[in-house]
């Protein structure tokens, strides 16, 4: 089973997170195939930020510069950046890690998630191709694929991805919700409601989203008197 979560250190405040976006990315474009000459992604300034975070970044950068051919140092740097929502720095770090070791499914998955969260949906799907090749039975990757394909309007392919996730783990609530979303996108609200009947689903962590989708399906079916209650239960769901 893959370890999804990047290593998390102290998060910067909202003000500091915003400030990161104002810093210039150190020259990380045009990466060289020679690890010793590959540019290391780093903010040009670290003053004014949480001292503990500064130490963590300095240590991670030092490790990369001392062992540029070691994919784990690049992975650790990418995880640190990703954990603090510094995605523009995480991307080149993860990219370097998978260039050095394409067989690491965990890093391929983190690169996929970072690309998607940074707005590169097509790039994220491409990285997920590698995850599927390396770990074909990793259900969450198939759910992420289904969600990405659904966002691109490729409902039939999304359905296949969600079905694959459920074949691997029938209790995967994200796969069930994904199939309900596909049904709604295809104009089949009755099928979406069928997907959302499970008590386990409605009592689980994805319950708010399931309620919101039920409300949408009820509206589409003309059952307006029932829909508002479901929508209210789904407040805050994404």
């Amino acid at each position: 089973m893959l370890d999804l979560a990047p290593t998390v250190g102290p998060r910067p405040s909202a003000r500091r997170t915003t400030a990161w976006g104002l810093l210039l990315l150190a020259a990380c474009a045009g990466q060289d195939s020679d690890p010793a000459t590959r540019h290391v992604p780093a903010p040009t300034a670290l003053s004014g930020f949480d001292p503990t975070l500064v130490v963590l970044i300095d240590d991670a950068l030092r490790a990369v510069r001392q062992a540029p051919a070691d994919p784990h140092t690049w992975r650790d740097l990418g995880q640190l950046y990703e954990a603090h929502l510094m995605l523009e720095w995480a991307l080149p770090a993860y990219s370097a890690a998978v260039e050095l070791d394409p067989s690491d499914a965990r890093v391929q998955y983190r690169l996929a998630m970072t690309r998607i969260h940074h707005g590169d949906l097509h790039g994220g799907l491409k990285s997920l191709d590698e995850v599927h090749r390396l770990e074909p039975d990793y259900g969450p990757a198939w759910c992420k694929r289904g969600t990405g394909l659904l966002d691109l309007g490729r409902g039939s392919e999304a359905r296949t991805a969600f079905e694959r996730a459920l074949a691997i783990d029938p209790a995967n609530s994200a796969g069930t919700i994904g199939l309900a979303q596909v049904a709604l996108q295809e104009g089949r609200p009755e099928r979406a409601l069928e997907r959302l009947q499970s008590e386990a689903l409605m009592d689980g962590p994805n319950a708010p989203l399931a309620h919101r989708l039920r409300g949408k399906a009820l509206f589409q079916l003309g059952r307006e008197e029932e829909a508002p209650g479901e929508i209210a239960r789904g407040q805050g769901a994404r």
Side-chain angles (χ1 to χ4, degrees):
M1 183 64 69
L2 293 179
D3 180 8
L4 302 186
T7 303
V8 179
R11 289 185 178 274
S13 66
R15 179 185 63 80
R16 290 173 176 171
T17 300
T18 302
W20 280 116
L22 302 177
L23 297 175
L24 295 176
L25 181 62
C28 61
Q31 293 183 351
D32 197 299
S33 58
D34 180 359
T37 61
R38 181 179 278 112
H39 293 293
V40 180
T44 58
L46 291 172
S47 61
F49 293 90
D50 188 304
T52 303
L53 176 58
V54 172
V55 171
L56 290 172
I57 292 175
D58 282 343
D59 288 347
L61 291 171
R62 186 179 305 109
V64 167
R65 289 168 179 144
Q66 290 175 347
D70 183 353
H72 298 106
T73 63
W74 293 94
R75 176 204 63 194
D76 293 346
L77 180 62
Q79 288 180 333
L80 180 61
Y81 284 146
E82 184 192 3
H84 293 86
L85 307 180
M86 300 164 65
L87 301 185
E88 60 183 311
W89 286 274
L91 281 169
Y94 281 143
S95 295
V98 300
E99 286 173 15
L100 290 166
D101 182 9
S103 68
D104 192 330
R106 294 170 180 80
V107 182
Q108 293 280 7
Y109 186 82
R110 294 313 329 157
L111 176 58
M113 295 300 94
T114 302
R115 282 176 164 171
I116 290 171
H117 294 152
H118 199 244
D120 181 10
L121 186 51
H122 291 283
L125 289 172
K126 184 177 180 180
S127 293
L128 284 175
D129 287 339
E130 291 302 306
V131 179
H132 301 322
R133 181 179 66 82
L134 295 165
E135 294 279 351
D137 292 330
Y138 184 57
W142 287 103
C143 285
K144 293 296 184 182
R145 182 177 194 81
T147 300
L149 291 168
L150 195 62
D151 288 343
L152 292 174
R154 293 157 60 179
S156 178
E157 295 173 78
R159 183 190 306 106
T160 299
F162 290 128
E163 288 174 345
R164 178 65 181 271
L166 287 171
I168 295 168
D169 178 10
N172 189 326
S173 62
T176 300
I177 284 177
L179 288 176
Q181 291 175 308
V182 171
L184 287 171
Q185 190 177 85
E186 294 176 340
R188 301 168 60 203
E190 69 290 340
R191 182 58 176 153
L193 280 179
E194 291 175 9
R195 295 283 186 187
L196 300 170
Q197 293 300 328
S198 166
E199 289 186 10
L201 174 63
M202 303 310 289
D203 291 336
N206 286 319
L209 178 55
H211 281 295
R212 184 168 67 81
L213 293 174
R214 279 178 57 84
K216 185 174 181 179
L218 289 168
F219 269 122
Q220 289 186 11
L221 289 169
R223 295 161 60 179
E224 290 87 354
E225 70 284 355
E226 302 173 62
E230 293 290 345
I231 295 294
R233 294 186 185 94
Q235 287 184 352
R238 298 193 304 172

